[in-house]
Structures are given as C-alpha cells and as structure tokens.
Amino acid sequence: MPPPVDIVKVAIEWPGAFPKLMEIDQKKPLSAIIKEVCDGWSLENHEYFALQHADSSNFYITEKNRNEIKNGTILRLTTSPAQNAQQLHERIQSSSMDAKLEALKDLASLSRDVTFAQEFINLDGISLLTQMVESGTERYQKLQKIMKPCFGDMLSFTLTAFVELMDHGIVSWDTFSVAFIKKIASFVNKSAMDISILQRSLAILESMVLNSHDLYQKVAQEITIGQLIPHLQGTDQEIQTYTIAVINALFLKAPDERRQVDVESNVDILDCPLTEMANILAQKQLRSIILTHVIRAQRAINNEMAHQLYVLQVLTFNLLEDRMMTKMDPQDQAQRDIIFELRRIAFDAESEPNNSSGSMEKRKSMYTRDYKKLGFINHVNPAMDFTQTPPGMLALDNMLYFAKHHQDAYIRIVLENSSREDKHECPFGRSSIELTKMLCEILKVGELPSETCNDFHPMFFTHDRSFEEFFCICIQLLNKTWKEMRATSEDFNKVIQVVREQVMRALTTKPSSLDQFKSKLQNLSYTEILKIRQSERMNQEDFQSRPILELKEKIQPEILELIKQQRLNRLVEGTCFRKLNARRRQDKFWYCRLSPNHKVLHYGDLEESPQGEVPHDSLQDKLPVADIKAVVTGKDCPHMKEKGALKQNKEVLELAFSILYDSNCQLNFIAPDKHEYCIWTDGLNALLGKDMMSDLTRNDLDTLLSMEIKLRLLDLENIQIPDAPPPIPKEPSNYDFVYDCN
C-alpha cells in the first residue's frame, strides 16, 4: 500500500546527536513538528528552534515552503530565524575585531535566506550595516595599515550581507543617505581597492541607479565615466562586467531629454543633451577601451559580460531613436540645406543662375531634375520624403554622412544610376530611406534591452559612428544587388528583401570588424542567395503526390517517437538554468534533470555554472512526474505575472515556462535560449502524454521526414550495400594541405 500523500520521510540532524529518521505529517502545523523534534532530544523552549535544509543553501523551512520537502530530504534543527537574527545583531556590534569579523561572515551567508533576512531587517539591521559602512570604516581607518586583511574582509562581508538583504526587495532603496552613497562611491573611486569590496560596491551602485530615480541623481553626482574607465582597463573580467553594468544603469535611467556623463574632469554634466551623448562617450574613448581590454582581450567572454555588452550596444543604438522618430519640417531651412548639400556634392552645382524671374523657373526645373536623379519620390519637394517615421530624419543623416565620408562611392552611385535607363535606375533617396528603416528594425532601435539576450556584435565597437558606417556598407550592397538582379522600380521590395537576407546572414557569422562584415557580404551575392534558397527549398521539399503523402503518414509516427526519445534523453542529461534577480547576476544557478526511468525530476541550486552533467545525488529536490498537473508558458507563468514591466519583454516571455503541481505549487523556469526552451517544453509535454508543439519539433519533423523519404526513394537496384563500414584510412604524415579559412 503506498504511503499517504501528506507523509514525508526525512532525516533530521542536531549537532552532537545521532540523526533521527522520522515521518513528517504535512497537515500538522510546523510548530507542532518542531516541538516533537525538540522533545525527542529533550530540548526546552521549542519556539526558539526551527528546521532548515542541511544542504549548502541552509534555507529555513516555513509554512510557505514546507511543500518543497520531499522524501529523503535531510533537515537540520537549528536556532530560529528570530533568535539567530537577534544574536547576530548583537555580535556584529562586538568590540572584539575577531568576534565582529566572524559575525559578519555568518551574516553574509545567512542573509541569502529571505526568512532570516526579514527578521534581521525587522531589527533595523539594514540601518546598522549602513552606519557601520559610513562611520565604522573611519573608526578602523587607523588600524587598516596593521590589520589590512582583517579590515578588508570585514568590509567585504558587511557589503555582501547588505547586497543579499537588499536583493529580497523588502526595503526600499530610497531610504539611504547621501553619506552612505558617498562612502560606497569612494570605494569605487579609489585606485587600489580589494577586489571583493570593489565588486560589491559596483553592484550596490548599479542597484541604486536601477531602483530609485532619486538615488540615480545622487550616484551620478559621485561617479563619473572617467572614474569608472580604469576598472575597464584591468584584467579582472568580473570587475569589468560590474563596471559596464553600472555604466549601462546610468545610461538606462538617465532622463530621456538629458543624459549625465562627464567629459574630462570630475565635474558632472547634468544638462548634456541626448544628441551629445555619443560624442561625449567618444571623447572618453569608452568604446575603444572596451574593444581593447574586453572584446579583444586574450580570454573568452562569459555570458554575463556578453549580456552587458549587448545592453550597451542596444542603449547606444537607442540614441538614434530621437532622430528616427523626428519628422522633417519642410519649412525648416537648416533641414532643407542638408538636401541642397546632397545635391551639391553629387552634381557639384557651385554656380547658380541669377535670381531673375526667368532664371527662377530654370533653377526650379534644374532642381527637380537633380532630385529625380538622386532618387527621391517627391521630385519637387524632397523634404516630404522624410515625413514618415520611422526612419524620419535618421535617413537624411545617414545620406549626408555617406555623401561626406564616402564621397567617391556616393557620387559614383548617384551618377551611375542617373545615366541608366529610367526603368533600371536604383533610386538612391528612396533606397536610403527604406534601408535605414530596415537596419533600425534589425538592430531593434528604440526597444528596451532583453533580460536574457547575449547577442552583441563586436564590429559595432570598432567605430565611433558604427551605425552610419553600417549604413554606408549596406547602401553600396543594395546598389550592387540591384544591378545583379537587373531590377526595375517594380522590383524595389524584392531587392530590399534580398538585401535584408544578405545582411542577416552576414550578421549571424558575428564578424569582428566592419571590414570583415563587408567581406562577408561580398561572398553573399544575389547568385549565392539564390543557391542558398534553392538548397533550402530542396531540403524542405514537400512532395504532394498521393503515394508520397501515404508514405509520410505511415512513417510520421516513427519519426515523432524518435524526436520524443531525443527530447527525453536531453531532459535526462539536464540543463543549467540561471536565476534572475534585480541585478541579474550570473552567480546564482540551478540545475534540473529527469531521472533515467523518466519518473522523477531532480533539481537543486548550484554555487557556479557546472562543467558537464550534474549527478542526481547532488540535486537536493525531487518532483515526481506523476504529480505534475500542467505545463504553462509565457504570460501564463506565475513568475511572469510577478515581474515588472522591464522584465516582461518579449524575449523573456518567449523563454519562460512553469510546471504546476500539487495545490498552488509551481517550478518556474527561464530557459537559457530558444532551443533549450523547445527541448524542455517538448519533453515535459511528452511526459504528460501531450503533443509536442514547438517550432523545433516541426523543423525536426520536416527534416527527418524529408531525409527518410529520400532514402526510401533512392534507386538502389544493382547496388550492393556493404554489411560493415569501410575501414578508416591512416592519418597523413602531415597536414600541410589544410586550408585555413580565417
């Protein structure tokens, strides 16, 4: 007879005593269970005790999380959170340096638990820690020279405890004083500072900026880009990551119409116009420093650094949003002068007719003719072409940049097309406007950065005007593709589609420089695109004859079973998932995998990202597959309903899924990428006996069906298939014949 559902068999430890095996009735109050455990060891005052997990997490058991206790869990009887918080609150105020240091070390560890954190915060513990940072560091300043390691550890544990406590979101960030902010900023501004202190100080500043508008202004007065740059020039990638995160936070939270960045001194420029942001960053050489010391450093870029570089890339391109959404004013003479300049550069019209009534008509006629050659839709008043947003004035900015910085190419394209027959000319103006709009869509200009995306492009960090240079390369590509397609005005949209495909395919190779990007495009001619499309069509060929459809119907269940087994095998291997918090740090992971018999999901927290599979016995928690009620995705996930507006972006929603089990219990996931999302949702649906509906399953099914049908239709008559594979040839004496594609 199976044991009752509400009975859980666990082991309970107590220091100095032999562990007890007992059955916990989940219907009984937790206090009654703790009293029963205390009575077994003859311990009085059971209200001073609590149960906690005996694993590395040491999290307390509460009425809210007690359902997470599974059969075989090892628990520990320990001091209650309230008692522990009271004792630590007293110990960290000890006059003994050694006692204080040990207490702060324990506090830094215990603060990860929300139950303990709530109790410690109720004792005004946050205020005590901030006072220790503000005044305590000065108090021990004299001892720093003779006790530097101790002083550094003490401050490091204090800041660690503060960060962990604030991460629970119990206390508002708006409550902190200017003195505390100045002290944290001073740790960042010092040239020689302990690595752990610097890390935590940067993390605190980032959280302050992201969580409070008032604190953003105060932090911006204490920290300048110039003071952060030395941290980027070091060799510690963790410090570099935290530093870029602070820059991104300042960038993200700056008011839309004004941006705060320093230029050459410690004086902050609070009234810096948005349009000057990119120029100021260029003056500080931030881009080139990141390129040299981060992107091209002789080490791999980890996921968190890749994410911060992606965020910086997105925020930099978002500076273009204002121009992208600005319509041209046909009455604005300064804006009209830009169009005149485009015409002057192209046709070198230095001398103009006299301003007489006759010559005025002649000049208008000449302008109309030239604007037609420049490829504007509205030949009489080209300003009207730039009244659509997007791309608005950004398209005109790109055209002027191309005309001034790549003058030869600009003149060649304009004159080349003006001498063609009308039906084959590539309209430069119209093409530039549509291309700018397309590039903004590809780079998602104006959208908030994703919480999970790591897709940064190194080539955009190689030039101060990377978007403009990107446009210059692509407009020349468009003109080249137009000629290769022998296009006419009716083919305009087809050409744009081909150029989009060329650009997207080149970007997926992650070129390291703009020159390399240009080289990739050279290899993606229109002829090559046709070959790729033809190859893809052949691979996805759908035979419509009745015998083929019958064959497909017959073998499809076999293919689906094969896909199902692959998904389940991947679940058995398991996946490492990242825990996202307010600061999106990468140091919190958890792992989940399916048991080989497909009956239990094993999961648990990890200290760091694993190298390879994690054994079942090292994962503390279990969830029987039979207990799973449903799998939900996207907006239906409980953890997505709790997120703020910034986190509810499209990318996160597309990667979120949850397992619902028991009553009001769930296991929440955010997949590392779309592929893992499909693998897990397919696998879980397969376990529940439901259809696998992901895009990955459809693609795999199409690919495998096509391969299987082609294999079965091969003409193998009079062809002898060997029973054994052919022998592997011997290795060559050297590899001088190998061609290095790079």
Side-chain angles (χ1 to χ4, degrees), residues 19 32 35 40 82 111 113 184 206 214 264 272 307 408 470 487 501 543 655 681 723:
K35 184 177 185 304
S111 295
D113 183 87
I184 297 297
E206 182 197 0
D214 291 338
E264 292 295 339
C272 171
H307 172 74
D408 291 343
F470 186 42
E501 185 174 347
F543 301 103
L655 299 176
T681 52
D723 296 328

Side-chain angles (χ1 to χ4, degrees), residues 567-581:
R567 300 294 193 263
L568 294 177
N569 289 340
R570 281 287 291 107
L571 264 61
V572 170
E573 292 175 13
T575 300
C576 178
F577 298 92
R578 184 187 297 112
K579 286 189 172 183
L580 298 183
N581 57 27

